[in-house]
Amino acid sequence: MAKAQKRFGPPPQKVDLVAVSKTFGAVDILPLLEAGQRQFGENRVQEAQTKWPELKSAFEGVELHLIGPLQTNKVKDAVALFDVIETVDRDKLARALAAEMEKTGSRLPCFVQVNIGGENQKAGIAPGDAVAFVDRCRNEHGLNIVGLMCIPPVDDAPGPYFAQLAELSKLAQVDSLSMGMSADFETAIAVGATHVRVGSALFGSRPPLG
Ligand SMILES: *Cc1c(COP(=O)(O)O)cnc(C)c1O
């Protein structure tokens, strides 16, 4: 990460490592917590509920990021457990999050997820709608939008998509950029990522889905 930051600088931006612990249990997560890692990412609310309440009470300062799709019926649970929501991508969800945060007196930092490759199967707001959506999230829904997040298409070189997200972040006037995973975090940092979401490079490979 430090090497990639030097390529982007000067001055190098601060880059946060979000350790993606999905599919891994407490035994695998504990060594990272003990080594001082505090930012973690999970993609499913229900799975996170099985491990993080206990880990959070055992370790101070944990910042848990929701990095997977959020259904509105899970908003209450998500706001109760997570510290950062990275996947705000539609008005209905923004409205539900804002209402829940109002009710609980929290104001979690949120990222807007952008479907940067315009892929049918992927979540996220269309790139052309992203700036207006960030505005609505802030000014109509009252969310604390701090950045943009994306997952580029798996089969393409990621650099141009990351650079496009960086451009959008300037237009939307947000400071944070969550982009880059195990295979491409150096590229993401080189074009301005402030948060990289790294799973398998830290934890080892995950069992195949399903
Ligand atoms: C699983 C996941 C990651 C981490 O992927 P790796 O390739 O294991 O680093 C990052 N972001 C999201 C949204 C994920 O679901």
Side-chain angles (χ1 to χ4, degrees):
M1 284 171 65
K3 217 183 280 173
Q5 265 172 288
K6 278 198 197 111
R7 265 190 310 208
F8 184 70
Q13 79 276 25
K14 175 176 172 291
V15 186
D16 290 356
L17 171 63
V18 179
V20 177
S21 50
K22 65 187 186 196
T23 78
F24 290 94
V27 282
D28 295 306
I29 300 169
L30 275 170
L32 269 83
L33 282 164
E34 273 152 13
Q37 174 67 27
R38 285 297 178 271
Q39 293 176 298
F40 289 87
E42 289 281 346
N43 69 336
R44 293 179 63 232
V45 176
Q46 242 168 328
E47 184 192 336
Q49 283 174 320
T50 67
K51 47 189 162 175
W52 281 103
E54 209 171 326
L55 291 170
K56 277 183 137 190
S57 62
F59 290 85
E60 233 169 278
V62 168
E63 184 183 286
L64 193 60
H65 291 230
L66 179 64
I67 61 169
L70 178 57
Q71 302 304 318
T72 47
N73 64 359
K74 294 271 170 59
V75 159
K76 188 177 198 279
D77 290 339
V79 169
L81 179 61
F82 286 87
D83 304 290
V84 179
I85 309 289
E86 293 206 18
T87 50
V88 182
D89 65 354
R90 57 200 190 279
D91 286 282
K92 188 182 176 204
L93 176 59
R95 209 174 291 121
L97 281 167
E100 183 60 25
M101 290 185 206
E102 171 112 334
K103 204 158 69 176
T104 56
S106 53
R107 199 154 187 275
L108 305 185
C110 295
F111 288 69
V112 162
Q113 182 175 0
V114 180
N115 185 358
I116 202 70
E119 297 171 281
N120 283 331
Q121 77 283 13
K122 262 200 193 131
I125 190 98
D129 298 335
V131 175
F133 181 60
V134 169
D135 277 349
R136 284 202 303 284
C137 284
R138 285 174 158 162
N139 301 320
E140 284 178 33
H141 306 307
L143 287 179
N144 177 20
I145 303 293
V146 299
L148 302 181
M149 176 272 211
C150 79
I151 310 167
V154 282
D155 295 328
D156 293 353
Y161 295 106
F162 292 152
Q164 200 192 337
L165 196 73
E167 283 307 310
L168 283 175
S169 76
K170 286 179 202 149
L171 296 172
Q173 299 184 307
V174 296
D175 294 327
S176 296
L177 274 174
S178 173
M179 55 189 195
M181 320 202 311
S182 293
D184 53 21
F185 69 89
E186 287 151 300
T187 305
I189 291 170
V191 295
T194 62
H195 295 71
V196 292
R197 308 178 308 269
V198 176
S200 45
L202 290 169
F203 289 99
S205 58
R206 289 177 297 271
L209 292 176

